[in-house]
Amino acid sequence: MPVTDPETGTERGPGSADPPAPVSEPATWWAEHAWVDGTVEHGVALDVARGRLAAVRTGVEAPEPGAEVLRGLTVPGLANAHSHAFHRALRGTVQRGVRSAPQSGHGAAGARAPDSFWAWREVMYTVAERLTPDSYFALARAVYAEMALAGITCVGEFHYLHHDRAGLRYADPNAMGRALIAAAAEAGIRITLLDTCYLSAGFGRPPEGHQRRFSDGSAEVWAERVGALRTGAGAEEVARVGAAVHSVRAVPADALGTVAAWAGEAGAPLHVHLSEQPAENEACLAAHGCTPAELLAAHGVTGPRTTAVHATHLTGADIALLGGSGTGVCMCPTTERDLADGIGPAPALERAGCALSLGSDSHAVVDLLEEARAMELDERLRTRRRGHWPAGRLLRAATADGHAALGWPEAGRLAAGALADFTTIALDSVRTAGPAARDAAEAAVFAATAADVRHTVVGGRHVVRDGVHTALPRTGAVLAEAIAAVRE
C-alpha cells in the first residue's frame, strides 16, 4: 500500500524514487561567514550552476542583488557515514529501566546482561521484525528529514533488512533498498546505500529467528541481488550503491572475498562493522586464530575503498594493518557511549594512516556536530589531555572525509566544481553567541548543536530554510507517526 503523506495528503510509496521537482533557486548564495580551505572567511559568494559550485568568491563584503543570504557560518554539507535508519524507532525505549547489571556487558557472546549491547540488540530485532517496504519508507523519509535539519546532506545507510518476515524475498528482491533510496530522495538528501551481506548468526551458526530477514543464503546470491539494485538505483547524482560486510561473525570467512570482489569490480565503497565488542574478537580468535582485522585483511576486505566502522577494540598490530592498507575508520561516538562499547583508538588510527569519518549509527541523537566534538572530548576523558584534533580537522571528518568514505569525492568542500551541498550554522543562538568571527569554526564544533542549523542546501536547492524542512515542515509529527507504526 502507498504511504499517505500527512503533510500533503498525497500518496507516496517506496517505488516513488524520484526526488521532489526542483524549484527555482538563486544562482548565487552569499554567506556571511564560510569555512573555505580550512579557514573562516567573511563575505563569501557561492555561485551555483547545474547543482555544482561554479565559483567560490571570498571578500564579497555585501550580498549582491538577487543573492540568497546565509547568516552564520556556512560549511560543506555534513556526511553521516554510518546509519541504521530503523534504529531511530528505538530512541527512548532502550533507555527504559536502565540499571547497573550484575555482570559485564563485554563478556561472552551468549551473555545477556540487562543493559549490555547484546540485550539492546534483542530490542532492535523486535523493531526490525515489524517493518515492511511501506513502513520503512515512511520511517526512513522522516529520519532523513531529521538529518537534513541537522545539516546532513549525504547519508551512508548500512542496510541489511532485505526480505520479508519469513525470510522470503519480496516480489522485487530489492524492495526494502529501493524504499530507502526513495525516502532519501523525498527528504532531499543524497544516499549511499551500503547493501549489507549478512549470512550467519555467529561463527559456524546459521541465521536465527529475526536474522532470517537479513540473509540471502550465500554471498553469490547477495552479489546477484545487489548487482540488480545497483543497475536500477536511479540517478547517480542523488543515490549510489555500495557494499558492506555486516561483521566477521555474520559473514563466513569463505564468503568475505566474494563481497570484496563485488565492491572492487563495481568501484564501490565497502564498509564493515569491526571489533565493536570484545566478544567478537574472542569468538574470532577461537574460530580462526586471528583478530577480525587480520581475518578481513587475509580475504582482501581491507584497503583504500574500505571503511571499518567502530574499530573500538583493536590490537597495535590491527591498527598498523588498517593504517598500512589505507582503510578508513568511521567513529560513532554517541552510539558507542550509549551502548557502553568503549572509546576507540582514533588518534592512533589516524597516525597510522586511516582517514576518520563520523556516523550517527543507532541515532541515539542525530547530530554530526556532537559526533565531531565527542571524538575529541571522549579522547580527553580517556587520556586526561586536551587538544587531540583542532576544530577544522573535526569538521573535515564530518564533511570531506565522510563523503569520500561514501563514494562522493566531489562533495564535502566549498570549491569550484564541487557539488553545491552546504549547511549554515547560526552564530547568534544561546549556544553560539559571543565568540569572535575568527573563532566561528570552534564555536560550531564545540558549542553548536543540530538545533543551530539554519539552512541546508543540496544541489543548489534549499532543503532546510530558516530551520524548517521545506518538504516536510512538520517533521516531528511525521517522525512520531512513522515510529508509532512500528513500535509496540
Side-chain angles (χ1 to χ4, degrees), residues 343-348 377-385 388:
I343 301 170
L377 298 183
D378 287 356
E379 192 62 24
R380 290 183 187 183
L381 283 175
R382 190 182 71 81
T383 63
R384 292 178 290 175
R385 183 172 62 81
H388 301 276

Side-chain angles (χ1 to χ4, degrees), residues 18-46:
D18 294 334
V23 295
S24 177
E25 292 287 1
T28 298
W29 304 70
W30 181 82
E32 181 182 25
H33 306 285
W35 189 64
V36 181
D37 294 330
T39 301
V40 175
E41 300 281 356
H42 172 73
V44 177
L46 304 171

Side-chain angles (χ1 to χ4, degrees), residues 227-241:
L229 174 61
R230 189 168 189 265
T231 300
E236 274 216 334
E237 62 265 23
V238 293
R240 295 176 183 177
V241 175

Side-chain angles (χ1 to χ4, degrees), residues 369-426:
L369 298 172
E370 173 62 23
E371 304 294 346
R373 70 169 153 269
M375 191 163 71
E376 165 68 22
L377 298 183
D378 287 356
E379 192 62 24
R380 290 183 187 183
L381 283 175
R382 190 182 71 81
T383 63
R384 292 178 290 175
R385 183 172 62 81
R386 304 177 82 218
H388 301 276
W389 294 280
R393 175 64 191 90
L394 295 170
L395 271 178
R396 195 178 83 197
T399 56
D401 289 347
H403 281 96
L406 296 177
W408 296 85
E410 70 273 49
R413 64 190 190 280
L414 298 181
L419 292 173
D421 299 356
F422 41 89
T423 188
T424 303
I425 301 161

